[in-house]
Amino acid sequence: MAQPRRFPQWRRLFLPTMAALLVATLPAAPATARSAPARSAPAPLADVPVSDPIPTDPIPAELGLVLREFAAFPRTETVPAPIDPRLVRHARINYLRAAPDGSRRLFVPDLNGPLYVLENGTPRVYLDLRATFTPDFWSGRGLGSGFGFVTFHPRFGENGIFYTVHSEAFGALGTKVPDLTAQPNTVVHSVLTEWTAADPAANTFSGTRREVLRLGFATNIHAIQQIDFNPTARPGDADYGLLYLAVGDGGIGVSTGVPQDLAVPQGKILRIDPRGTNGANGRYGIPATNPFVGRAGALGEIYAYGMRDPHRFSWDPSTRRLYLGHIGEHAIEAVYEVRAGDNLGWNAREGRFTFRQDDPCALYPLPADDAQLGYTYPVAAYDHDPPAGWSCTRDSGHAISGGFVYRGRAVPALRGKYVFADLVEGRVFYTNANQMRRGAALAPLYQLKIFDAAGRRVTTQDLAGDPRVDLRLGTDAAGELYLLSKANGKVWQVTGTRRVAATPDVHPNLTRNLAVHYDFEHAFTPLPAMEVDQGRSRTYLNLVNGGAAMRVPDGAYPGSNASLQTRQVDPAVAGNDDWKAGVYAATGVPSLAAFNGVRGMTVMGWVKMTGQNPAPNSNTADPADSYGAMGLFGLLSGTSDGHPVRALIEVVNVGGQLRLVALGRRLDAGASQTFAATADWQTLLPRDEWVFLAATFDFSTGAMALYRNGAPLAGTYTVPGDPWALTTTPGPHTSSATNPTGIKIGGSYPQDTREQNPCDCRMDSLMFLDRAVTAAEVSQQYRWVTRP
């Protein structure tokens, strides 16, 4: 996968359908030896960046993968020792494949050196590249450095030949010379090696090797990613026995013309004959059918070009089409159908958008004459947004891992689907292969749910035990699918599928109005102290003071596996060390615009009281003094300092008694109204029991309501008169036309400037809707997640 991006990447977390794509044509001849194919001068670029390149949200699939743990690999270490914590993984396994010899043996490479063969699910070292290539072997810098890939000659069972690619540095930089054109200031080599096993059936390698090709790169990122043979080619086919190499741009394509330069190998897919001799070094051949053979100034090895980080590719066994998962720079993660001579456009294009070196933190519309320029565009893609204020120089924790068109037999529901993943955060997707068409609209993408072997709905983050899953895919000889995680070095086999509601945690009647939703099972990978919003607003939530430790394995209902723990930390210390969650911006949070000028709102979610409530007041000198309230969850007003709210559920003192209340404010500068439940709060919220709470606020009529476990609660309004100014101002009445300044959960002041009203409690599936839902809908939501 890619290293930390030099520029901002990502727009949305999920998957799209989009505008029609243009048919790509083969490029014309180059104007000079080191130029891209000649084209007419482009029309002037639009000066307005595209704010959201692929605005369509994902389609939640009504389908889940059932996974069975298949293998666990031993811990390995990098060389040299890593300085990037993202390289500290249990085992850096990155692929699983079968040898094409009829044995059904599975082989798994680890970037840190070992090549394993699996014997009844138990890994055994077949070959150790680190030991073989010491002292030059290099895996401790760059997320893709080390033993990158292995592939077997189609006749491996007869000739024992297979190929690997690995990284070298140390002394190799001064003693070994790269082939073709090395990048200036080379810091690492990618080395293609041919191995010949004396006994192809043996489970430990013994034999010979020879170096086939060595390429030099200027950084430790985006070197050779995958090498492979076309498994759909048969003896006699022009493609049979030809080796494809996915070569990245070396990390310098963002600021140079390397990916468009046909005289250099970087940023390309190469196709060579590893048994031939007419290549540049005499150790491989150049197929006569390659698209640039004979073109002046162009490398005959090039099959396709214009790439940043071509991560994984595969062929559809049925249609024989080649699909590539390509990791983008700024916003676009894309799947391409690649044909000979294609130009994927990098760095003039990222996906179907213009990339400009003078503004690498943005994407721009295509020029008017783009159809004449010959670029090939994705057949499927997604984008994503980083949190507000996330620096454009930071890795936002997303990268596509290409997958496979499933043509196996064990999982019929997946037949004809291209299954792939976001390798960092571990989401698994599919699109229908028959909808991935060049020159057509992007194929709709679907996010698959995950179930473990016991039938429990989980995430791959749960299975990996880490927000950074480092997920890869593999297949066996029958085309069955496997998922691999570097985080814990485990492999899971896809054994089946389960039908499941598209939104199993949210009733379908509510999804359209669900602006914000936190289930506390989706950590933001680069910063686990943030929670990713599962609603449409994409408002990232800060887990204040406690960070990732605030997620606890205690789900409120079947299907939920985690919740948020909030609590007071040290009541004897005046300050703001309480565990709470929220987001805050004094001028309003733009992503919360759904609650700007609305006629009604709803907040709902699960609460479990877990400790002393109310908490001792750490802001006073009297140790016997307690806070007068327990903050649960709500939205702040448009002018709030972190305490006044627009819509909130909490426990407060009403007339000398603590009561469970809904508290709402229509106008930022106006008074609030409180609806207090009649029953004792401890009866409504008994300790160590999950309770589903909901509150609705109808700003057009002044009606408020509280619900417990789907049923309305009897209660009273505590503020007399007309606090929402419904009779003194003309209608229609809405909330103030301002964005809320934030969300507070488990206490006040989410900006962490003061401790106020902490709650020792757990929260799960907190939902914020931009209308006042009905009593029937509250009941439906409760029954939706508690039904058998």
Side-chain angles (χ1 to χ4, degrees), residues 598-730:
V598 291
R599 295 172 62 89
M601 293 171 51
T602 300
V603 296
M604 61 174 68
W606 292 82
V607 176
K608 177 197 280 189
M609 311 306 283
T610 54
Q612 180 181 352
N613 289 300
N617 192 336
S618 61
N619 297 314
T620 67
D622 185 356
D625 189 19
S626 296
Y627 286 103
M630 291 160 276
L632 298 182
F633 54 97
L635 283 146
L636 301 174
S637 71
T639 57
S640 177
D641 64 352
H643 186 64
V645 297
R646 187 168 285 174
L648 174 74
I649 299 178
E650 68 175 348
V651 177
V652 300
N653 192 309
V654 177
Q657 286 187 317
L658 287 176
R659 308 272 289 278
L660 176 68
V661 304
L663 190 152
R665 177 180 283 101
R666 183 174 79 87
L667 301 174
D668 288 342
S672 62
Q673 176 62 282
T674 300
F675 182 84
T678 303
D680 177 72
W681 77 271
Q682 291 174 303
T683 301
L684 298 176
L685 295 172
R687 185 165 172 168
D688 297 326
E689 180 180 319
W690 280 109
V691 175
F692 179 63
L693 298 178
T696 60
F697 307 83
D698 189 332
F699 297 128
S700 64
T701 66
M704 299 169 61
L706 264 174
Y707 301 85
R708 180 185 186 274
N709 289 346
L713 289 173
T716 57
Y717 295 97
T718 66
V719 180
D722 184 22
W724 285 0
L726 298 177
T727 61
T728 58
T729 56

Side-chain angles (χ1 to χ4, degrees), residues 286-606:
I286 299 176
T289 53
N290 277 5
F292 300 108
V293 167
R295 179 170 292 184
L299 293 177
E301 291 91 340
I302 295 174
Y303 181 80
Y305 68 110
M307 300 168 204
R308 176 185 181 270
D309 192 7
H311 185 255
R312 291 288 183 266
F313 58 86
S314 65
W315 284 263
D316 181 347
S318 177
T319 65
R320 305 177 74 172
R321 291 173 178 163
L322 172 61
Y323 293 110
L324 168 70
H326 184 267
I327 298 175
E329 169 71 26
H330 172 70
I332 308 299
E333 303 300 296
V335 180
Y336 292 84
E337 183 200 333
V338 181
R339 301 178 187 175
D342 279 349
N343 180 2
L344 276 57
W346 176 248
N347 71 4
R349 299 289 182 270
E350 183 176 339
R352 195 175 183 269
F353 300 92
T354 297
F355 181 87
R356 290 168 40 171
Q357 291 186 30
D358 66 336
D359 188 10
C361 290
L363 294 178
Y364 288 81
L366 298 177
D369 65 345
D370 186 72
Q372 305 171 32
L373 303 182
Y375 294 116
T376 295
Y377 289 122
V379 294
Y382 64 100
D383 70 351
H384 22 84
D385 285 314
W390 195 254
S391 170
C392 73
T393 63
R394 300 181 68 181
D395 184 354
S396 188
H398 304 87
I400 190 173
S401 180
F404 304 90
V405 177
Y406 180 77
R407 302 290 181 184
R409 296 181 179 275
V411 192
L414 294 181
R415 291 293 300 272
K417 291 176 169 53
Y418 178 74
V419 182
F420 66 104
D422 189 294
L423 62 89
V424 183
E425 64 178 354
R427 296 179 188 273
V428 183
F429 309 114
Y430 79 82
T431 186
N432 293 303
N434 61 9
Q435 292 181 295
M436 294 196 296
R437 297 188 296 269
R438 290 163 63 111
L442 288 175
L445 301 184
Y446 300 83
Q447 182 178 335
L448 288 157
K449 297 167 185 66
I450 304 296
F451 292 85
D452 64 16
R456 185 174 63 113
R457 181 160 53 87
V458 295
T459 67
T460 57
Q461 293 182 349
D462 294 329
L463 295 176
D466 196 305
R468 188 178 188 91
V469 182
D470 271 331
L471 192 69
R472 305 297 192 277
L473 287 82
T475 59
D476 62 21
E480 302 305 330
L481 289 172
Y482 297 77
L483 303 182
L484 304 82
S485 170
K486 293 181 186 177
N488 60 0
K490 290 188 177 181
V491 177
W492 299 269
Q493 182 181 14
V494 178
T495 59
T497 57
R498 286 186 57 171
R499 290 289 170 183
V500 63
T503 55
D505 295 316
V506 183
H507 192 279
N509 289 350
L510 304 181
T511 55
R512 181 177 180 181
N513 295 100
L514 184 61
V516 180
H517 181 206
Y518 301 117
D519 62 7
F520 306 105
E521 296 186 27
H522 292 87
F524 177 52
T525 303
L527 190 61
M530 279 186 172
E531 179 74 15
V532 179
D533 177 12
Q534 301 304 296
R536 70 175 189 272
S537 82
R538 301 292 174 254
T539 303
Y540 288 76
L541 185 74
N542 298 309
L543 308 188
V544 181
N545 293 321
M550 295 171 65
R551 294 187 191 88
V552 293
D554 181 17
Y557 53 88
S560 174
N561 301 304
S563 57
L564 178 77
Q565 178 74 60
T566 63
R567 65 183 180 89
Q568 186 179 57
V569 174
D570 189 347
V573 177
N576 53 330
D577 60 355
D578 56 322
W579 286 12
K580 55 194 170 190
V583 58
Y584 181 80
T587 58
V589 178
S591 61
L592 297 178
F595 304 104
N596 180 328
V598 291
R599 295 172 62 89
M601 293 171 51
T602 300
V603 296
M604 61 174 68
W606 292 82

Side-chain angles (χ1 to χ4, degrees), residues 60-420:
E62 296 183 354
L63 190 66
L65 300 181
V66 178
L67 305 183
R68 174 181 68 89
E69 186 173 320
F70 181 74
F73 288 77
R75 180 179 295 276
T76 58
E77 304 294 339
T78 68
V79 56
I83 57 176
D84 184 342
R86 296 173 302 172
L87 272 68
V88 181
R89 305 275 77 188
H90 180 87
R92 298 176 67 205
I93 53 176
N94 64 352
Y95 198 64
L96 177 148
R97 70 175 321 129
D101 60 357
S103 70
R104 306 181 75 86
R105 288 180 298 170
L106 298 176
F107 288 80
V108 177
D110 182 314
L111 283 162
N112 289 333
L115 173 61
Y116 297 100
V117 61
L118 287 172
E119 296 180 331
N120 299 317
T122 301
R124 173 176 176 175
V125 175
Y126 176 78
L127 170 66
D128 188 344
L129 269 69
R130 175 174 175 170
T132 302
F133 293 108
T134 293
D136 294 329
F137 183 84
W138 177 264
S139 68
R141 304 288 185 273
L143 297 182
S145 293
F147 173 19
F149 215 82
V150 62
T151 189
F152 296 85
H153 189 277
R155 297 177 57 200
F156 170 75
E158 303 167 33
N159 61 27
I161 294 174
F162 64 98
Y163 297 85
T164 63
V165 63
H166 73 278
S167 305
E168 291 188 6
F170 299 115
L173 300 177
T175 61
K176 301 177 182 179
V177 180
D179 301 304
L180 302 175
T181 302
Q183 293 182 334
N185 304 311
T186 292
V187 300
V188 69
H189 295 169
S190 273
V191 185
L192 176 66
T193 303
E194 178 185 275
W195 307 77
T196 302
D199 178 4
N203 282 339
T204 301
F205 174 78
S206 175
T208 61
R209 72 175 192 270
R210 72 179 181 94
E211 184 173 306
V212 178
L213 181 66
R214 177 181 294 261
L215 299 181
F217 297 88
T219 76
N220 285 291
I221 62 176
H222 308 173
I224 299 178
Q225 292 283 26
Q226 179 176 349
I227 56 175
D228 228 336
F229 294 94
N230 179 354
T232 72
R234 298 293 178 259
D237 292 349
D239 214 26
Y240 185 76
L242 301 185
L243 184 62
Y244 289 73
L245 292 78
V247 184
D249 67 3
I252 65 173
V254 67
S255 57
T256 71
V258 160
Q260 293 294 311
D261 186 348
L262 292 174
V264 302
Q266 293 86 7
K268 318 294 191 300
I269 289 180
L270 309 181
R271 183 172 67 170
I272 65 172
D273 179 356
R275 306 298 291 164
T277 59
N278 68 331
N281 61 15
R283 297 191 295 271
Y284 66 89
I286 299 176
T289 53
N290 277 5
F292 300 108
V293 167
R295 179 170 292 184
L299 293 177
E301 291 91 340
I302 295 174
Y303 181 80
Y305 68 110
M307 300 168 204
R308 176 185 181 270
D309 192 7
H311 185 255
R312 291 288 183 266
F313 58 86
S314 65
W315 284 263
D316 181 347
S318 177
T319 65
R320 305 177 74 172
R321 291 173 178 163
L322 172 61
Y323 293 110
L324 168 70
H326 184 267
I327 298 175
E329 169 71 26
H330 172 70
I332 308 299
E333 303 300 296
V335 180
Y336 292 84
E337 183 200 333
V338 181
R339 301 178 187 175
D342 279 349
N343 180 2
L344 276 57
W346 176 248
N347 71 4
R349 299 289 182 270
E350 183 176 339
R352 195 175 183 269
F353 300 92
T354 297
F355 181 87
R356 290 168 40 171
Q357 291 186 30
D358 66 336
D359 188 10
C361 290
L363 294 178
Y364 288 81
L366 298 177
D369 65 345
D370 186 72
Q372 305 171 32
L373 303 182
Y375 294 116
T376 295
Y377 289 122
V379 294
Y382 64 100
D383 70 351
H384 22 84
D385 285 314
W390 195 254
S391 170
C392 73
T393 63
R394 300 181 68 181
D395 184 354
S396 188
H398 304 87
I400 190 173
S401 180
F404 304 90
V405 177
Y406 180 77
R407 302 290 181 184
R409 296 181 179 275
V411 192
L414 294 181
R415 291 293 300 272
K417 291 176 169 53
Y418 178 74
V419 182
F420 66 104

